[in-house]
Amino acid sequence: MAEVPQPPLRHLLTLDDLDAPALHNILDTAAALRSQQSFAPPEHSRTLLNLFFENSTRTRFSFEFAAARLGLRVLNFDVEGSSITKGESLRDTLQTLRAMRPDIVVIRHSSSGAAAYAAEVMGEAVAVINAGDGFHAHPTQALLDLMTIRDHRGGFDGLALAIVGDVRHSRVARSLLQGLRVLGVADLRLIGPATLLPSHPEALGARNFTDLAEGLAGVEVIIALRLQNERMLGASLLPSAEEYRQGYGLDHERLGWAAPGAFVLHPGPINRGVEISSQLADSERSLILRQVENGVWVRMAVMQMLLGGDAA
Ligand code: NCD
């Protein structure tokens, strides 16, 4: 393929700026890192700052592991122990941290647009990676999902994929749908109660289904989303977790409604026995831990890309 010179990407805020070759390039780099298993001498002069304003286990540690494998020094910003609790604004916090010259800032925040705002404040001096902003975007999660699907199927041709759950409020779903569309996946289905589905699925290149059996028919890949109790039950979008399980909980029997050999992904954290049964989550039809593993490789690939390829 002819090399088309592209301006280097400074931040990864959404998948907006990545076309299909760029997406594949990241997945190829991640796969090469995985097979290589050893890396160039540590780059101790580079610093990654984790700025998590929302709780996280896998995403935060995945960035930490990725940085550690590349030899970057990792600093974790402790929101509870910071001057944010004294009322310092996000802008002042970001400006203060920028003055200390981190090379990469990874930000997770409950406000949609927070990562773009951080990139604006940081400017060209610091690479900003969005680790989830509000309902908006979670690009590295989408990349690890894409890598896991590509690994398992060998590509995206003819793929029918369903996302089950609270799609309306999911940054994971939004970024993944964007990546899948860029890669040419046409059969994208969103399944859940009407209150949790987007009102304009066609804008996301997808179709809504309120019936699980109907939505799963012929589907090869199913993405289960976490029932976000903290966001939904209070807002009366759903009567109860048990009612959700009855309508949309995935188990082995219901997996039989999808295409033969269909498999399940979940971004985690999972509510066992609600959106997915324990037996299914722990079975060979679930790729949940592969996703976690691939998360580290894609984040390494993204860091390399943003640092100009010389971090490893
Ligand atoms: C998700 C998130 O926080 O956006 N988890 C993740 O990053 N792996 C989804 C969730 O919290 O349900």
Side-chain angles (χ1 to χ4, degrees):
M1 198 183 300
E3 281 285 310
V4 183
Q6 299 275 345
L9 206 59
R10 193 55 186 136
H11 308 295
L12 184 73
L13 307 177
T14 67
L15 296 186
D16 283 348
D17 303 315
L18 301 170
D19 57 11
L23 284 175
H24 278 295
N25 189 27
I26 294 175
L27 305 187
D28 291 343
T29 306
L33 286 162
R34 179 175 57 194
S35 57
Q36 183 185 332
Q37 298 281 348
S38 73
F39 316 103
E43 251 284 11
H44 280 303
S45 56
R46 307 274 204 161
T47 307
L48 176 139
L49 178 60
N50 261 331
L51 214 52
F52 278 66
F53 292 88
E54 270 188 358
N55 293 344
S56 169
T57 299
R58 70 213 78 224
T59 304
R60 201 192 99 192
F61 280 100
S62 182
F63 275 106
E64 285 207 41
F65 270 95
R69 278 185 209 162
L70 290 175
L72 292 153
R73 205 180 284 271
V74 179
L75 301 173
N76 282 299
F77 181 78
D78 169 18
V79 176
E80 287 310 311
S82 77
S83 290
I84 299 245
T85 60
K86 300 179 189 168
E88 185 163 51
S89 71
L90 181 58
R91 178 171 203 93
D92 285 332
T93 303
L94 292 169
Q95 279 178 336
T96 301
L97 295 169
R98 183 187 62 182
M100 298 181 202
R101 297 175 181 257
D103 295 285
I104 301 180
V105 164
V106 176
I107 182 167
R108 167 171 286 195
H109 199 282
S110 57
S111 298
S112 300
Y117 182 69
E120 195 186 306
V121 175
M122 294 290 171
E124 289 296 303
V126 183
V128 175
I129 303 178
N130 184 4
D133 63 327
F135 301 153
H136 175 232
H138 194 349
T140 58
Q141 176 71 42
L143 289 166
L144 74 89
D145 292 342
L146 294 174
M147 182 175 183
T148 308
I149 296 167
R150 197 180 79 159
D151 277 353
H152 203 79
R153 261 187 110 245
F156 299 93
D157 285 354
L159 174 62
L161 175 144
I163 304 182
V164 185
D166 181 14
V167 181
R168 185 180 289 197
H169 302 110
S170 173
R171 55 197 178 200
V172 171
R174 216 169 303 283
S175 281
L176 180 59
L177 288 167
Q178 185 175 19
L180 288 165
R181 270 199 331 270
V182 168
L183 294 173
V185 179
D187 192 349
L188 298 171
R189 311 180 192 180
L190 313 176
I191 311 175
T195 47
L196 302 184
L197 293 179
S199 29
H200 294 289
E202 66 286 350
L204 303 167
R207 288 178 294 155
N208 281 352
F209 291 85
T210 51
D211 183 79
L212 184 64
E214 204 187 315
L216 288 184
V219 156
E220 245 182 284
V221 178
I222 305 165
I223 315 279
L225 295 177
R226 181 172 69 90
L227 191 64
Q228 306 203 341
N229 291 309
E230 77 277 15
R231 284 182 178 155
M232 294 179 329
L233 295 180
S236 309
L237 293 173
L238 207 65
S240 71
E242 174 51 23
E243 193 148 319
Y244 179 85
R245 188 197 63 75
Q246 285 174 20
Y248 302 98
L250 296 170
D251 57 21
H252 272 110
E253 192 191 326
R254 290 170 170 192
L255 194 62
W257 299 345
F263 53 93
V264 185
L265 284 78
H266 190 308
I270 61 175
N271 293 303
R272 287 176 179 267
V274 182
E275 67 265 2
I276 187 165
S277 71
S278 254
Q279 291 89 331
L280 180 55
D282 297 333
S283 76
E284 77 292 343
R285 306 289 290 277
S286 147
L287 301 181
I288 295 173
L289 293 176
R290 299 269 191 79
Q291 290 174 272
V292 175
E293 198 192 326
N294 286 336
V296 181
W297 304 118
V298 297
R299 290 177 174 115
M300 288 171 73
V302 166
M303 287 176 198
Q304 278 196 346
M305 174 180 77
L306 298 180
L307 291 175
D310 57 350

